[in-house]
Amino acid sequence: MSFLVTSPSMKPPESNAYTCGTHEYGPTFFFFLLIIIIRFIVHSSLLHLRSTASLSGTMASPPPPATVDLRELGKTGLKLSSVGFGASPLGSVFGPVSEDEAIATVREAFRLGINFFDTSPYYGGTLSEKMLGKALKAVGKPRNEYIVSTKCGRYIEGFDFSAERVTKSIDESLERLQLDYVDILQCHDIEFGSLDQIVNETIPALLKLKESGKIRFIGITGLPLWIFTYVLDRVPPGSVDVILSYCHYSINDTTLEDLLPYLMNKGVGIISASPLAMGLLTERGPPEWHPAPPELKAACQEATAFCKRKGKNISKLALQYSLSNKAISSVLVGMNAVRQVEENVVAVLELETSGIDQETLSEVEVILKPVKNQTWPSGIQQT
């Protein structure tokens, strides 16, 4: 078999064709042959890349999602997600939540970088703890990859901050949560008990629990801000690791800000809850039982309507406002649906990349200025 190849110095055959033995081939034949060869080479290369990627696992999994940032909690060494998972809604306190919904919500929280989960035996009459425990077990994350906080002293049947009750309480909570320990145990709404009992009886009992390994750190929670200084000034330094304040760092109330230097000087970690002021800063509005004075409710309703007219979401604005202060380790938001988790994380990521909507924030602050820092009474009369 012989091939005739032309060159610039050779005159091509009259037929402008190429011959192979007794067969004659035109340019069109070689054009299609070239296309076939190129496609074969490309296809073989892609098959090789896919095989290599499949073995390494890089093509089997989608790229990881953007996740929320972590912040240090006082001197505990813990790093909490900037937005925390408030698990009270898992106790069906705002409507029924199925076990499947709870598991899906917690799984999505993990996927998007939320590692802090807060509950209490009071929420839903222990149901919140049970549902969170089932969800954590179902998701199956290693225990050292998430932080769980629960509470003691407040129960569906009332308040009891005695050493005996809080000692029994942690065992009950651990059983419901299906855990060997909790990272933080907090005295729940201490303004409803004797603060002197908290100092002289409850905190010492929790310190013993800390020594036993059932809890890692100790916290106190409540609405009035003065309760924190009262206790912290009377317990041995380092006895209380964390405070949880609610409804005091949002667009309508920033009184927690005045306490931050004191808490940071004490080395106490700071968690803020209810950035939406227990429903005041939502389009749905607060529940009927909300204890805010009428003028505060009316102003928040006006601010909400203003945002809606502008095509803005006041809840996202309020959450971003609370997240803006990096001295606060985590902002707790109640969640009971995958959609809520995703919306909250989007708000966090938008804040980190684009910042807060300063124009709308300024306009809302003007509306809320007449009621700024208004609050409501909580607790018993302390002597």
Side-chain angles (χ1 to χ4, degrees):
M1 184 178 291
S2 62
F3 290 91
L4 177 64
V5 181
T6 61
S7 71
S9 61
M10 296 176 63
K11 184 178 179 182
E14 292 295 328
S15 62
N16 196 30
Y18 300 92
T19 61
C20 178
T22 59
H23 299 282
E24 186 177 272
Y25 301 94
T28 302
F29 168 80
F30 283 99
F31 173 78
F32 284 109
L33 180 62
L34 180 62
I35 294 297
I36 292 170
I37 293 171
I38 292 172
R39 291 184 65 180
F40 174 77
I41 294 171
V42 171
H43 182 67
S44 298
S45 300
L46 286 173
L47 285 176
H48 175 71
L49 287 172
R50 286 174 182 169
S51 175
T52 304
S54 179
L55 290 172
S56 65
T58 55
M59 278 196 72
S61 303
T67 59
V68 301
D69 61 316
L70 301 179
R71 301 179 184 178
E72 293 186 1
L73 181 66
K75 294 182 177 179
T76 64
L78 299 176
K79 290 186 176 181
L80 277 56
S81 50
S82 58
V83 61
F85 189 109
S88 64
L90 298 187
S92 296
V93 295
F94 301 110
V97 179
S98 70
E99 188 173 319
D100 288 342
E101 289 173 322
I103 293 170
T105 305
V106 170
R107 179 176 284 112
E108 184 69 356
F110 274 121
R111 190 181 77 86
L112 296 178
I114 295 175
N115 73 344
F116 177 42
F117 299 84
D118 177 82
T119 183
S120 167
Y122 175 67
Y123 301 149
T126 73
L127 182 58
S128 172
E129 284 187 329
K130 292 174 183 175
M131 294 289 274
L132 179 59
K134 290 179 180 179
L136 291 172
K137 184 175 182 179
V139 174
K141 282 281 185 178
R143 181 62 183 89
N144 64 348
E145 291 187 9
Y146 59 91
I147 297 157
V148 174
S149 169
T150 193
K151 305 180 182 74
C152 64
R154 184 171 192 177
Y155 312 96
I156 200 70
E157 61 270 18
F159 292 89
D160 188 346
F161 293 100
S162 67
E164 179 182 4
R165 184 66 185 98
V166 299
T167 301
K168 182 182 178 183
S169 184
I170 186 59
D171 290 330
E172 296 168 345
S173 290
L174 290 176
E175 182 178 355
R176 288 188 287 263
L177 289 164
Q178 303 182 57
L179 299 174
D180 296 325
Y181 68 92
V182 294
D183 299 278
I184 308 168
L185 181 62
Q186 305 178 88
C187 302
H188 195 175
D189 291 342
I190 60 175
E191 70 267 28
F192 288 94
S194 164
L195 295 185
D196 289 327
Q197 182 188 31
I198 300 293
V199 170
N200 299 316
E201 183 178 351
T202 315
I203 298 299
L206 267 55
L207 286 169
K208 290 181 180 179
L209 292 175
K210 192 174 183 179
E211 292 174 1
S212 73
K214 294 179 180 179
I215 69 175
R216 296 178 65 193
F217 301 103
I218 295 169
I220 53 178
T221 84
L223 180 69
L225 294 175
W226 66 270
I227 62 174
F228 299 123
T229 55
Y230 187 97
V231 172
L232 290 170
D233 285 342
R234 289 166 174 78
V235 297
S239 299
V240 174
D241 306 289
V242 183
I243 67 101
L244 190 159
S245 171
Y246 69 98
C247 290
H248 284 309
Y249 200 86
S250 192
I251 303 174
N252 62 297
D253 187 331
T254 56
T255 46
L256 177 62
E257 195 165 29
D258 296 332
L259 195 61
L260 295 181
Y262 167 88
L263 295 169
M264 295 172 72
N265 185 56
K266 290 276 188 181
V268 174
I270 303 154
I271 300 169
S272 181
S274 299
L276 311 185
M278 289 170 30
L280 288 174
L281 300 175
T282 64
E283 292 185 0
R284 177 182 295 181
E288 290 185 9
W289 50 261
H290 199 294
E295 59 270 23
L296 177 55
K297 290 182 179 179
C300 289
Q301 187 176 18
E302 181 183 350
T304 301
F306 168 79
C307 287
K308 193 171 184 179
R309 288 195 301 270
K310 281 193 69 173
K312 306 292 183 178
N313 186 311
I314 195 167
S315 297
K316 182 171 81 171
L317 186 71
L319 174 58
Q320 291 179 332
Y321 182 88
S322 297
L323 288 164
S324 297
N325 194 323
K326 297 296 181 72
I328 296 172
S329 298
S330 188
V331 177
L332 280 172
V333 185
M335 308 184 211
N336 62 8
V338 169
R339 173 186 53 79
Q340 292 174 349
V341 175
E342 293 171 347
E343 289 175 353
N344 290 329
V345 171
V346 165
V348 175
L349 298 178
E350 282 186 8
L351 178 66
E352 293 174 357
T353 56
S354 307
I356 199 166
D357 183 347
Q358 193 61 53
E359 179 183 334
T360 302
L361 174 62
S362 298
E363 293 167 328
V364 168
E365 286 178 322
V366 170
I367 296 172
L368 295 177
K369 186 176 181 180
V371 295
K372 184 68 179 289
N373 294 337
Q374 278 194 18
T375 186
W376 48 86
S378 178
I380 61 175
Q381 183 67 38
Q382 302 284 338
T383 59

